[in-house]
Amino acid sequence: MPLTGHIHRMASGAFAREMLRRFTPGWVWAGVALAAIAVVAGMFVDYRWSVIGLFVILVLMPPVVAFAYYSHALCRECFVNTTPHTTGADHRGLVVTLYIAESEEEADEEVTESDAANIDAPAEVLKDKREHAMTYRKLREEIFAPSQISGWYLTGSGGVVDITGPHRGFVWVPFDAFASQEAFARFAETMRNHVRLNRNSAISSDYENTQRL
């Protein structure tokens, strides 16, 4: 029986940070650090160092970082995190079902009416009510085979599945993506099993290649 969770999506800020952390080359961050040092040095040594540092930070680095970001962000291995979706697992592997919101205007009206007498309601509360009031229509499924699941680890907000294949990517799974902690634990165990099988398969393949030599 397939294991499927609630509709959720990753916040744009968290997604951008994860993308930059994963896919921005190390030499880019080294360049930014050197440019920042040049800016500080310009305050005490020669102002021209500050000009050079600011030029690197404000003119040269943003296009490089943007290229590193969008060369991966538009691939299915990554962009699924930013759309409303459910995360599931079955015999096919990791199943990400994408949805589209159908009634955003109706949800806004419903939230506005219900909170008309409570104008001091926190923004987070209104956002949660709006999302619960929305209805969704299923778009399609994005299926990542067990052989594409290369890693699984926990963070402060949930778990992350590392994806390999034509492109590298990840799928974030928050702790509340499923109806219960037990369901999340079953999903996590399924991901760990896929990772172990892939590692054992890689070890067996390396052993066979060594034997041939």
Side-chain angles (χ1 to χ4, degrees):
M1 182 177 180
L3 175 65
T4 303
H6 300 305
I7 293 177
H8 62 277
R9 62 179 171 181
M10 194 174 190
S12 57
F15 178 71
R17 289 192 297 271
E18 185 68 18
M19 292 294 297
L20 293 175
R21 184 187 69 82
R22 285 173 173 265
F23 301 118
T24 301
W27 61 266
V28 172
W29 298 121
V32 171
L34 291 175
I37 293 173
V39 171
V40 175
M43 299 177 183
F44 303 98
V45 182
D46 190 327
Y47 74 92
R48 286 173 290 189
W49 283 109
S50 293
V51 174
I52 295 173
L54 290 172
F55 178 78
V56 172
I57 293 175
L58 301 177
V59 178
L60 296 182
M61 287 303 177
V64 175
V65 174
F67 177 79
Y69 179 89
Y70 284 106
S71 61
H72 293 280
L74 300 181
C75 300
R76 78 185 189 104
E77 289 83 357
C78 293
F79 84 83
V80 294
N81 292 284
T82 62
T83 63
H85 65 279
T86 59
T87 307
D90 60 19
H91 65 281
R92 297 171 294 176
L94 176 65
V95 181
V96 180
T97 306
L98 305 182
Y99 293 85
I100 185 172
E102 284 194 318
S103 58
E104 293 191 14
E105 293 183 0
E106 290 84 347
D108 288 335
E109 292 177 0
E110 183 174 336
V111 170
T112 301
E113 292 174 0
S114 64
D115 290 283
N118 186 12
I119 59 175
D120 295 325
E124 293 81 4
V125 173
L126 297 179
K127 181 180 178 182
D128 289 340
K129 289 184 177 181
R130 180 178 182 275
E131 290 181 352
H132 285 299
M134 291 168 60
T135 60
Y136 296 90
R137 174 171 57 86
K138 179 179 176 180
L139 285 178
R140 67 177 186 275
E141 290 183 343
E142 294 287 353
I143 301 173
F144 302 98
S147 59
Q148 292 180 269
I149 301 171
S150 60
W152 164 261
Y153 60 92
L154 295 177
T155 67
S157 59
V160 177
V161 184
D162 286 330
I163 303 295
T164 58
H167 299 91
R168 291 184 297 126
F170 69 97
V171 175
W172 172 68
V173 186
F175 288 122
D176 59 356
F178 296 93
S180 64
Q181 294 181 352
E182 291 76 12
F184 183 91
R186 293 202 306 273
F187 175 85
E189 184 59 29
T190 301
M191 295 300 105
R192 285 193 290 265
N193 288 336
H194 289 320
V195 173
R196 283 195 292 266
L197 289 174
N198 287 335
R199 290 176 179 172
N200 292 337
S201 177
I203 293 173
S204 298
S205 177
D206 291 342
Y207 176 78
E208 292 175 358
N209 292 335
T210 304
Q211 291 298 101
R212 292 193 186 98
L213 296 175

